[in-house]
Amino acid sequence: MSGQFELRLRGMDVPPGEIGLRDLANISTQLQDLATRLGRWVAGIERVGRSTGDVEDAVALRLTTIRAGSTGLVIERGRASQPLFDVPLEEEFDALLWETWEAIAADAPRQDTPPLVRQSAVGLLEALGHAAPEAELRRTADGARISFRPGERDKRVWIAPDTTVDESDLTLSGVVKMVDLDSHKFRLVDDVGNRIPLEGVDNSDVARELLDRRADAVGQPRRDSRGRISALVVSSISPADVPVPWTQHVRDDSWREAPISGPDPDGGVEFTDDEWAAFISAMNGA
């Protein structure tokens, strides 16, 4: 089963097979955050926001066993009530999770690693470093191993590369959602579900009026390392109407005039007397 691995912590100041609840909670939280963000990356929805239920189910992690011999945490992917199938999403997630473990151990993240995944990798390193001097991963499927010392890893390599800001303005349309009114953090949810943070919306009164309403936001797009819009530096924002074609109802009665094929009451197949007799005999089971 590729969705199962063991995280072994060595050199802790507790007896073998034990772990402090605080360390267990920190590692569990950071590891699940990393898994969730990797799942969003695999599914193409790694931006801020709740992932779909299917992705959440696929990347949910469970602690199934705690073993002695230092302390080993056996972790499995997926809900306990569901069989651990290796379907495309799960297979890609398992491969990416292991690749990310290797990147953590080697201080070598992929260049296209999303900022939130980078942030989770740092959080996991800090949680592991607080718990134990050495960590080892063993993949159940093939016995592959990764060993590293969390406290000696370089967290700076996980800092997201600088974003770029376009010089020309762009207009984005969607529904304005609030993240934090006090800190003036908002986002625009466009018509295909992308959640785009809005920067520079400082007028709280205007923001309140636009919440949960459709709006046009004009500004300079901030792009990530892959050229995608990661935020919009807003110069103006105003209410917008729903596009007219979306609300128009077109009645099409052309089908009434179209020729419709069907049985001809004056025609059809004519059976002979012998054919009718054979048919009735077959119906009676003769």
Side-chain angles (χ1 to χ4, degrees):
M1 294 182 292
S2 60
Q4 187 183 78
F5 63 91
E6 180 178 349
L7 170 61
R8 190 164 289 279
L9 303 172
R10 304 185 188 281
M12 295 195 299
D13 56 359
V14 295
E18 296 185 11
I19 184 173
L21 288 180
R22 182 175 298 174
D23 285 331
L24 179 60
N26 288 340
I27 293 172
S28 300
T29 298
Q30 297 300 332
L31 182 54
Q32 183 60 69
D33 283 348
L34 176 64
T36 299
R37 288 168 174 178
L38 288 174
R40 292 174 178 173
W41 188 10
V42 169
I45 52 176
E46 72 271 19
R47 292 181 180 177
V48 176
R50 185 175 175 83
S51 60
T52 65
D54 288 343
V55 174
E56 289 186 345
D57 289 345
V59 304
L61 300 180
R62 294 177 291 114
L63 175 64
T64 59
T65 307
I66 298 181
R67 294 176 177 166
S70 70
T71 297
L73 308 177
V74 180
I75 298 167
E76 190 169 303
R77 178 223 341 123
R79 291 188 173 182
S81 59
Q82 299 175 346
L84 187 57
F85 293 126
D86 289 333
V87 296
L89 178 89
E90 283 84 344
E91 288 180 341
E92 189 174 350
F93 166 77
D94 291 339
L96 185 58
L97 177 60
W98 192 256
E99 181 183 340
T100 303
W101 277 117
E102 292 177 327
I104 289 174
D107 295 336
R110 275 172 44 174
Q111 187 175 5
D112 62 342
T113 303
L116 291 179
V117 173
R118 292 172 178 270
Q119 178 182 323
S120 291
V122 172
L124 181 57
L125 268 174
E126 291 176 346
L128 292 173
H130 185 272
E134 184 178 350
E136 180 184 87
L137 275 294
R138 186 181 71 84
R139 188 164 54 191
T140 305
D142 57 5
R145 296 175 184 269
I146 301 171
S147 297
F148 61 97
R149 300 181 70 83
E152 297 177 4
R153 303 275 51 85
D154 185 2
K155 302 182 185 68
R156 294 172 298 177
V157 301
W158 291 94
I159 298 175
D162 293 337
T163 58
T164 60
V165 178
D166 288 2
E167 295 182 359
S168 57
D169 281 351
L170 181 71
T171 300
L172 299 178
S173 299
V175 177
V176 178
K177 295 293 184 180
M178 178 178 64
V179 178
D180 187 341
L181 189 60
D182 292 333
S183 61
H184 305 286
K185 292 183 178 179
F186 306 91
R187 63 171 170 247
L188 191 77
V189 182
D190 69 12
D191 300 324
V192 294
N194 292 317
R195 299 172 174 87
I196 303 166
L198 302 177
E199 300 178 3
V201 183
D202 298 325
N203 190 323
S204 298
D205 293 334
V206 172
R208 286 190 182 92
E209 293 178 3
L210 293 176
L211 283 178
D212 295 321
R213 293 181 58 187
R214 189 174 183 81
D216 288 337
V218 180
Q220 295 175 316
R222 191 184 299 278
R223 299 184 183 274
D224 61 20
S225 58
R226 287 187 281 178
R228 301 179 311 171
I229 298 176
S230 58
L232 186 71
V233 183
V234 177
S235 57
S236 67
I237 186 168
S238 58
D241 296 324
V242 174
V244 174
W246 292 10
T247 60
Q248 287 181 332
H249 176 67
V250 179
R251 185 179 181 85
D252 184 5
D253 292 330
S254 60
W255 62 273
R256 295 180 181 274
E257 307 298 330
I260 301 175
S261 61
D264 182 359
D266 296 326
V269 178
E270 293 292 339
F271 293 118
T272 66
D273 291 343
D274 290 340
E275 288 172 334
W276 273 113
F279 173 72
I280 296 300
S281 178
M283 292 292 293
N284 292 330

